[in-house]
Amino acid sequence: MSIEHNRRISRAAAALATVALLAMGLFGGAVSAKEYVIGMQCDRSGPTKPVGAYMCPGFHDYIKVFNKKNTIPGSTIRVMEIDHGYQVPRGIEAYERFKEAGAVSIALFGTPHTVSLTPKLTEDQILGTSPGFGSAAGANGEKFPFLFPLAASYWSQAASAVKFIQDNWKGAKQPKIAYMYYDNPAGREPFPIMDDLQKMLGFEMEKYAVPAPGIEMRPQVLDVTRKFKADWVMGQFFGRAPTVSLKEFARMGYPRDRMIGFVWAGGESDISVAGWEQSEGYYTIQFAWVGSSSKNLNQPILQEIAEVYKAEGKPAPEEMDVSVYYNRGVMAAAVHAESIRWAVGKYGEKITGKEVKEGMENVKNFALPGGFMAPVTMSGQDHEGGGAVRIFQVHNGGFRPATDWFVGYREVVMKHVAAGE
Amino acid sequence: MLNRETATFKRTYAEDMALYPAPLPRYTILVLLFLFFVVVPLVSSEYTLGVANLLGIASFGALGLNLLVGYTGQISIGHAAFMSVGAYTSAMLVSIMGLHWGLGMIAGGAAAAFLGMLVGIPSLRIKGLYLAISTLAAQLIIEWGINHLPFIPGGAGGSIYMDKPSIFGFQLKTNLSFYYFIYVVLVIGIVFALNLFRTHLGRSMIAVRDRDIAAEIIGINIFKVKLTAFGIASFYAGITGVLYTYYFGVANYEAFTLVVSIQFLAMIIIGGLGSVLGSVFGAVFISLLPIVLDIFLRRVGGEFMEESQIAAITTQIQLMLYGGLIMLFLVVEPDGLRKLWRNITDYFKVWPFPYL
């Protein structure tokens, strides 16, 4: 056998393998019976990768447990994940692909995608969820029938932060509160709520904008600590800004236990870069449990996930170590799955987005055991699910709960939701 | 275009002026039109049409940028900002003031063109990278303006919702109806661009690109030409923004960030600078490649793994392949996909001979 011959054979084999791979790519993907599809957008390659890379595995893992437990007898849920890299056209394409695959509900990812897809969701009658992003006004189920913020919006977070400050303030006068925000629509979103609360309660408040990308805020921090002399600081930051704010306030010697970060300002990664000891005492608002890890499975649902992995001979997923985002994925998945379960229970196997939407509106007092998430109670008007949060405090290189699940000044928030700005 | 130039005689001025004088390209165009306006809509699924719509809009935007960068030689990294100007102008006029969508569309283009010409003014004095930086400033200023100017509404999310446009009482709702809408606009844009470079203005633009001092010496008013180029390119950008807005039903500035501007630059570089066809190729390549790779990898991976595992891996492979393919194409053909296409057509032009 000559070398030439050998080469020809190997070349033929390579060609065959390529053809087989291509054929699999084009004609593969068999669909099993009675499978409900949840479309999940994710960002594992774009600017919000630090969130997506942990939130999406959480979503997958919860559904895995859900299927393993046979919660909907005889049927399974399939999570169809598409990474859009935080680009709007690719998010739209992902949505079209979900629709083609017959998705009954969609977990959106990212504010621009949520906004761009809101009209389409209503047209196609498929519900979309936007926990922690999108717009707070989306909680208005009459104006945005197929959009579900699912968890406390920035409005609810602002109200809860003020409530927490009021509950913990011992001074004779009302406290001085500084609100520092990333200068984008999301950062300015809580303004109406805070203005109302200020009028209602009479505390003094100043707002400090930090321009994008939010990595330079010494002048603002100087203003807050030296000029305004704030008693409390609320931080609505994204990306690298939370870390920078922690470092700058530490430099000024400002007590960290007078600082409250909104939901995107308290990830493990943000705090570890600023230093856990440096950040001791920092409060963060959360809508799912935090402070667990693959070594410290302190929640029943996380233990169940770990068991499923163990049965496959694998250790608990290391994504669990970033509990702030992983657990949010678990929480969102739980609400999606519960809605589908409800819809199947009422309408049988043939369900579409419309029935699942009804299902999500009928999620009442739903929570995972062990205080993992706020009890979610949806209704036709309230698509936020009650807006409860829990405040956790950085303590001893981890988090500890500082409050129970609570809701702050719901009537003020709902007034604005009803107005539908 | 595939054609053989032999035996094409021009007997009248009209024949001489025709966009495609040879018969074969004319038939090719007719076949392509038939394919895109009859066959594709008939056989495509709603999903395919949705992707086609995104490609159509991207092609239109890339075409506009190519008029400026590829044909006139003025680098701009503020293209997406002009899209947002068009998007917000049309959304404000149509959704808030209740004007007709057609008017909103033209106004969107015009507003972008006006701002584009303002931004183009420094181009008289500065060139190349310096001009790029000044257009970068435009991108940032416009983004900031939409965020902060009080007369631009949009509520907390910075976005304006609007109803889908309707033509003669028929509302464009499905991807199919939008397909026709977008592709008619795209065809108009392509025909305009093709003809532009057969006019005095278009030729002047090319002259300015090739050597501006020489162009000035032969009597071209450089400032006027550069400003017009900025105006036309920004008009295209504005219309692109309007198309996105009408298609999505919402104007949102976060869809037009700096990254988008750079992506459009990548499109025309990959497709071929100074080529109408190249703009379309580049837009399709850059927009479609991640999608195709994603679908493909997921299907292949689906044979071995479960969904959650694939997701974590495909993204990485997809990024590597995407970057790798872009580099490969640029190394193989620095003049872009347009040149690859021309190599093919040149081969057939002289076939069966290797060369003339």
Side-chain angles (χ1 to χ4, degrees):
Chain A
M1 209 182 268
S2 66
I3 293 172
E4 182 60 27
H5 190 72
N6 260 340
R7 198 177 286 164
R8 218 182 279 166
I9 287 178
S10 62
R11 213 180 281 167
L16 207 68
T18 316
V19 169
L21 215 62
L22 267 170
M24 265 156 64
L26 295 175
F27 306 110
V31 181
S32 66
K34 282 182 213 157
E35 199 180 52
Y36 306 103
V37 178
I38 301 178
M40 176 172 67
Q41 294 185 339
C42 190
D43 176 13
R44 291 180 191 251
S45 52
T48 52
K49 174 184 164 186
V51 175
Y54 302 102
M55 203 157 121
C56 304
F59 202 102
H60 282 293
D61 288 344
Y62 178 81
I63 299 295
K64 211 166 161 180
V65 171
F66 185 88
N67 286 336
K68 195 99 332 142
K69 287 203 288 191
N70 204 12
T71 320
I72 307 176
S75 328
T76 53
I77 293 178
R78 179 165 74 97
V79 181
M80 182 179 171
E81 183 194 315
I82 298 179
D83 174 21
H84 58 43
Y86 219 74
Q87 291 168 12
V88 174
R90 279 176 67 191
I92 305 279
E93 185 273 335
Y95 169 79
E96 298 281 354
R97 220 192 299 171
F98 296 146
K99 204 170 81 181
E100 202 198 27
V104 290
S105 73
I106 289 172
L108 301 165
F109 193 99
T111 299
H113 314 86
T114 304
V115 171
S116 302
L117 282 168
T118 303
K120 273 187 190 283
L121 291 171
T122 313
E123 266 168 37
D124 300 328
Q125 305 213 318
I126 305 174
L127 76 88
T129 58
S130 59
F133 41 85
S135 83
N140 185 336
E142 274 148 10
K143 202 163 168 223
F144 302 101
F146 284 86
L147 185 65
F148 286 79
L150 198 73
S153 65
Y154 296 135
W155 284 351
S156 300
Q157 291 167 35
S160 312
V162 172
K163 176 101 170 76
F164 180 75
I165 292 171
Q166 293 288 327
D167 291 350
N168 286 280
W169 180 247
K170 304 281 186 296
K173 285 202 307 183
Q174 277 287 330
K176 285 181 176 179
I177 303 175
Y179 174 65
M180 294 185 72
Y181 62 99
Y182 197 93
D183 195 8
N184 67 1
R188 288 189 298 271
E189 193 168 31
F191 281 10
I193 303 294
M194 290 194 288
D195 293 343
D196 274 19
L197 289 175
Q198 197 184 352
K199 259 178 238 146
M200 204 171 98
L201 303 165
F203 54 83
E204 203 178 321
M205 172 166 243
E206 287 275 347
K207 304 183 184 101
Y208 298 87
V210 176
I215 48 171
E216 173 53 58
M217 58 178 87
R218 190 165 298 171
Q220 289 89 338
V221 171
L222 272 172
D223 266 4
V224 169
T225 51
R226 295 285 183 265
K227 199 165 147 209
F228 180 58
K229 296 197 171 64
D231 297 315
W232 281 88
V233 174
M234 295 201 275
Q236 157 73 318
F237 291 125
F238 308 90
R240 289 272 72 89
T243 308
V244 177
S245 79
L246 277 170
K247 288 196 140 181
E248 289 293 341
F249 277 104
R251 191 193 302 275
M252 288 296 136
Y254 190 82
R256 257 46 51 72
D257 59 1
R258 291 290 172 76
M259 293 172 65
I260 304 179
F262 281 32
V263 293
W264 299 113
E268 270 100 342
S269 48
D270 304 320
I271 293 165
S272 66
V273 174
W276 285 95
E277 284 115 70
Q278 287 244 358
S279 312
E280 179 73 27
Y282 179 58
Y283 292 107
T284 64
I285 302 177
Q286 303 289 349
F287 49 70
W289 178 265
V290 301
S292 48
S293 73
S294 57
K295 304 277 176 304
N296 177 22
L297 303 161
N298 54 16
Q299 283 286 326
I301 180 64
L302 299 178
Q303 287 156 8
E304 282 178 50
I305 292 172
E307 265 160 40
V308 170
Y309 271 81
K310 209 171 154 193
E312 292 175 0
K314 286 184 269 189
E318 57 186 31
E319 282 89 358
M320 274 185 182
D321 294 346
V322 181
S323 66
V324 171
Y325 301 136
Y326 182 88
N327 293 354
R328 275 177 208 175
V330 173
M331 176 247 173
V335 180
H336 273 269
E338 170 64 13
S339 316
I340 293 175
R341 194 195 62 77
W342 187 95
V344 173
K346 179 152 187 205
Y347 292 100
E349 273 166 27
K350 280 203 177 320
I351 52 163
T352 60
K354 214 175 140 198
E355 283 80 40
V356 177
K357 179 232 176 193
E358 202 189 320
M360 198 168 274
E361 283 177 350
N362 279 290
V363 169
K364 302 279 181 213
N365 222 346
F366 173 75
L368 293 172
F372 186 81
M373 58 191 266
V376 175
T377 301
M378 299 276 190
S379 71
Q381 290 80 42
D382 178 9
H383 280 187
E384 194 184 347
V389 298
R390 191 165 184 172
I391 291 179
F392 286 77
Q393 189 176 26
V394 174
H395 179 62
N396 265 345
F399 290 102
R400 67 170 177 201
T403 65
D404 199 358
W405 296 105
F406 73 104
V407 184
Y409 306 106
R410 192 70 183 150
E411 65 289 348
V412 178
V413 174
M414 285 318 273
K415 190 186 87 192
H416 285 273
V417 170
E421 286 143 67
Chain B
M1 198 51 57
L2 278 173
N3 71 321
R4 318 209 52 175
E5 274 153 12
T6 47
T8 312
F9 303 109
K10 293 157 187 164
R11 295 180 191 79
T12 60
Y13 284 118
E15 273 177 20
D16 194 35
M17 292 298 289
L19 192 54
Y20 295 108
L24 194 56
R26 262 205 302 271
Y27 298 135
T28 321
I29 291 296
L30 285 180
V31 169
L32 280 179
L33 282 179
F34 182 76
L35 198 72
F36 274 100
F37 283 92
V38 181
V39 180
V40 169
L42 278 179
V43 300
S44 300
S45 66
E46 188 79 353
Y47 166 72
T48 319
L49 287 172
V51 175
N53 289 348
L54 293 172
L55 296 182
I57 301 177
S59 303
F60 195 85
L63 182 54
L65 188 61
N66 216 341
L67 297 185
L68 184 63
V69 182
Y71 280 107
T72 322
Q74 311 299 306
I75 302 176
S76 164
I77 33 182
H79 204 56
F82 300 121
M83 291 182 197
S84 63
V85 172
Y88 274 83
T89 310
S90 66
M92 270 159 70
L93 290 180
V94 176
S95 167
I96 292 163
M97 294 168 68
L99 294 181
H100 188 258
W101 62 265
L103 214 62
M105 192 163 178
I106 292 166
F114 174 71
L115 272 176
M117 283 160 88
L118 272 185
V119 171
I121 290 175
S123 69
L124 183 66
R125 285 298 184 90
I126 52 180
K127 288 180 206 166
L129 278 178
Y130 298 92
L131 181 63
I133 297 303
S134 94
T135 54
L136 172 67
Q139 166 86 38
L140 299 178
I141 290 168
I142 290 173
E143 250 179 63
W144 185 91
I146 288 174
N147 241 317
H148 289 87
L149 290 179
F151 67 87
I152 297 173
S159 42
I160 310 173
Y161 290 95
M162 60 172 292
D163 291 334
K164 304 265 165 110
S166 48
I167 299 173
F168 304 123
F170 173 74
Q171 200 177 23
L172 302 177
K173 266 192 170 161
T174 56
N175 282 346
L176 179 66
S177 53
F178 263 102
Y179 176 83
Y180 280 111
F181 182 67
I182 290 166
Y183 276 75
V184 165
V185 175
L186 177 63
V187 166
I188 295 173
I190 289 178
V191 171
F192 177 83
L194 283 175
N195 277 309
L196 176 66
F197 294 101
R198 312 193 308 146
T199 63
H200 182 264
L201 174 66
R203 297 278 154 92
S204 318
M205 284 159 75
I206 294 172
V208 169
R209 174 195 67 190
D210 287 345
R211 186 155 293 278
D212 52 352
I213 294 174
E216 197 163 21
I217 289 169
I218 58 172
I220 292 169
N221 183 345
I222 296 195
F223 189 50
K224 200 179 112 194
V225 169
K226 281 181 177 172
L227 271 200
T228 320
F230 264 100
I232 295 173
S234 307
F235 187 85
Y236 271 78
I239 298 285
T240 312
V242 175
L243 288 177
Y244 274 130
T245 305
Y246 287 179
Y247 183 45
F248 297 163
V250 64
N252 180 251
Y253 84 101
E254 280 185 284
F256 308 108
T257 48
L258 180 61
V259 182
V260 179
S261 286
I262 291 168
Q263 213 167 24
F264 272 95
L265 264 181
M267 285 177 193
I268 61 169
I269 290 169
I270 296 264
L273 288 169
S275 159
V276 172
L277 192 62
S279 322
V280 178
F281 282 164
V284 170
F285 185 84
I286 293 277
S287 323
L288 203 56
L289 192 63
I291 298 172
V292 170
L293 283 176
D294 189 67
I295 294 178
F296 179 74
L297 287 170
R298 256 161 229 281
R299 291 269 177 87
V300 172
E303 302 291 318
F304 312 109
M305 296 177 270
E306 42 185 301
E307 185 98 18
S308 55
Q309 292 168 303
I310 308 168
I313 300 168
T314 47
T315 298
Q316 320 303 334
I317 302 180
Q318 187 250 338
L319 274 180
M320 284 190 271
L321 280 178
Y322 184 57
L325 277 174
I326 289 178
M327 280 202 269
L328 182 81
F329 268 101
L330 285 179
V331 169
V332 170
E333 193 49 86
D335 287 342
L337 299 174
R338 175 274 311 246
K339 186 71 197 308
L340 282 178
W341 175 244
R342 180 172 288 175
N343 290 346
I344 296 170
T345 55
D346 282 354
Y347 174 80
F348 281 107
K349 226 178 233 176
V350 296
W351 187 85
F353 308 109
Y355 54 87
L356 278 181

